[in-house]
Amino acid sequence: MKRFSTFKVVLVAITIAFATVAAAQDYKPEYKMSLVLGTAFPWGKGGEIWADLVRERTNGRINIKLYPGTSLVQGDQTREFSAIRQGIIDMAIGSTINWSPQVKELNLFSMPFLMPDYPAIDALTQGEVGKQLFSILDKAGVVPLAWGENGFREVTNSKQAIRKPEDLKGMKIRVVGSPLFLDTFTALGANPTQMSWADAQPALASGAVDGQENPMAIFTAAKLHNVGQKHITMWGYVADPLIFVVNKEIWSSWTEADRAIVKQAALDAGKQEIAIARTGLVEADKPLLKQIEGLGVTISHLTPQEREVFVAATRPVFDKWKEQIGSGLVTSAESSIAARKK
Ligand code: X2X
């Protein structure tokens, strides 16, 4: 009897050993993580933190390499989501803007003047709306794990200070992937043109476009003052969260324990990345803005009345897109924001 049970134990041990080897054999030597921006930016730092945590906590079983510049899709940010789904990309930290052509609900965060402050972003990403969006992403064919942040997108240009929609009149503004941005800038009287981030920088340098909109951490890290961007308006009209995701097949190729590690690492990295993205903007004296002014850039802060004029001018765009995104989702976002803790 004793001998038999020893035999069973050995058999079980051998089976487990084989299963582990089989599982390990399914693992790739390297997983490709897509990002638009590299480690000079909060976005890329978030990717680095995620990859490092996963490598450490899996003892190197899961080895992730960063591919910034959306290089796995030749810089075409709007193709990133499809490439993750297809397995061209194993995992990514992507902006809601870049994935919104495939997942229309992600346009929520690009609704003009929906989110007035950081607690409003948190009320969405960390609340019911965030859960709902993750279930939509799951149905759309990826595994969403955590939220990060690109940030509030402030408009910059080479021509003049913008304090009212008329100041934007006829200005050529580079915008990102979603048609919602074309609608917003058209409603404000500007002349928006859609292009990738890779194309935006030379277009700004040559003066082919006058302005663009991006978070302040991108302004400094990309040195946009060197490509003629001398005027910034702090209007906080939209903010794009980032989302940490993994391709579905890759996800199911990992053991349950490793999935838990990758998920927890994404949550930890997301939290750290959000703090990095907000650095210099949440402190009372906003040191990041001081630093930018030190570069010879003028920063305009709108009065509540001035801001209201932009809100009113873009309201028809908001109403149109509320239908496209789904009025139920937009309404729950508005309620979550109204109920936020400040
Ligand atoms: O292209 C942009 O403006 C950027 C870098 O912010 C995004 O990827 C959304």
Side-chain angles (χ1 to χ4, degrees):
M1 189 65 205
K2 174 108 195 312
R3 272 190 64 175
F4 179 68
S5 60
T6 310
F7 174 71
K8 263 206 326 205
V9 168
V10 170
L11 200 65
V12 167
I14 289 170
T15 310
I16 290 173
F18 268 114
T20 311
V21 170
Q25 278 171 350
D26 285 344
Y27 281 31
K28 298 206 229 174
E30 177 191 293
Y31 293 92
K32 294 182 164 70
M33 184 199 296
S34 177
L35 308 149
V36 178
L37 301 172
T39 51
F41 301 80
W43 192 333
K45 287 203 185 85
E48 187 176 51
I49 296 168
W50 189 20
D52 287 348
L53 289 176
V54 169
R55 195 174 300 111
E56 274 164 38
R57 296 176 185 176
T58 62
N59 296 318
R61 277 191 304 283
I62 297 178
N63 177 39
I64 302 166
K65 186 169 173 205
L66 273 55
Y67 288 82
T70 346
S71 58
L72 299 168
V73 284
Q74 293 75 47
D76 187 349
Q77 291 146 247
T78 55
R79 279 179 41 219
E80 188 181 50
F81 189 80
S82 308
I84 303 163
R85 215 164 26 190
Q86 291 158 9
I88 297 164
I89 290 170
D90 298 323
M91 55 211 298
I93 305 177
S95 160
T96 50
I97 300 173
N98 296 330
W99 298 351
S100 64
Q102 289 82 32
V103 186
K104 69 177 186 343
E105 291 85 355
L106 294 180
N107 279 296
L108 177 68
F109 301 97
S110 306
M111 288 284 265
F113 303 101
L114 170 68
M115 299 174 293
D117 47 29
Y118 286 115
I121 306 179
D122 297 339
L124 301 187
T125 58
Q126 310 305 315
E128 277 312 307
V129 168
K131 284 202 192 100
Q132 209 177 321
L133 290 170
F134 271 18
S135 109
I136 291 166
L137 283 167
D138 182 70
K139 288 198 190 83
V142 301
V143 182
L145 299 176
W147 293 93
E149 187 164 293
N150 194 15
F152 276 108
R153 304 179 68 90
E154 315 296 358
V155 65
T156 79
N157 81 94
S158 59
K159 300 277 183 204
Q160 61 179 8
I162 299 168
R163 302 203 75 104
K164 51 187 185 307
E166 293 81 79
D167 297 330
L168 267 164
K169 200 167 164 50
M171 246 188 223
K172 218 160 174 199
I173 304 287
R174 174 270 171 170
V175 293
V176 216
S178 164
L180 169 45
F181 286 83
L182 295 175
D183 285 356
T184 299
F185 281 89
T186 303
L188 293 171
N191 179 8
T193 171
Q194 201 172 303
M195 64 182 78
S196 71
W197 175 243
D199 292 340
Q201 296 166 84
L204 290 164
S206 72
V209 297
D210 305 313
Q212 63 87 47
E213 43 78 66
N214 249 307
M216 290 298 93
I218 293 190
F219 188 95
T220 50
K223 301 190 168 55
L224 294 186
H225 62 286
N226 286 343
V227 289
Q229 299 301 289
K230 296 293 180 204
H231 304 277
I232 299 177
T233 299
M234 299 298 291
W235 64 347
Y237 82 127
V238 303
D240 52 330
L242 302 177
I243 308 178
F244 292 59
V245 307
V246 175
N247 163 278
K248 282 213 163 160
E249 269 178 47
I250 297 294
W251 184 252
S252 46
S253 74
W254 290 334
T255 63
E256 212 167 305
D258 280 343
R259 282 182 224 159
I261 290 174
V262 172
K263 178 166 186 176
Q264 190 56 49
L267 290 166
D268 295 347
K271 205 167 165 192
Q272 289 185 48
E273 191 278 335
I274 291 172
I276 298 169
R278 294 181 185 183
T279 302
L281 294 169
V282 285
E283 302 82 352
D285 57 342
K286 300 198 163 100
L288 186 58
L289 299 188
K290 291 233 164 68
Q291 185 193 325
I292 294 173
E293 280 172 331
L295 302 168
V297 176
T298 64
I299 302 186
S300 305
H301 298 270
L302 301 180
T303 65
Q305 292 80 358
E306 284 174 325
R307 193 172 188 272
E308 208 39 55
V309 178
F310 284 96
V311 175
T314 53
R315 197 64 207 185
V317 178
F318 190 103
D319 294 339
K320 171 185 164 188
W321 279 84
K322 184 167 181 172
E323 295 311 312
Q324 302 209 14
I325 292 167
S327 62
L329 181 65
V330 177
T331 303
S332 28
E334 289 173 308
S335 326
S336 304
I337 291 169
R340 76 192 178 283
K341 286 198 213 71
K342 284 198 216 173

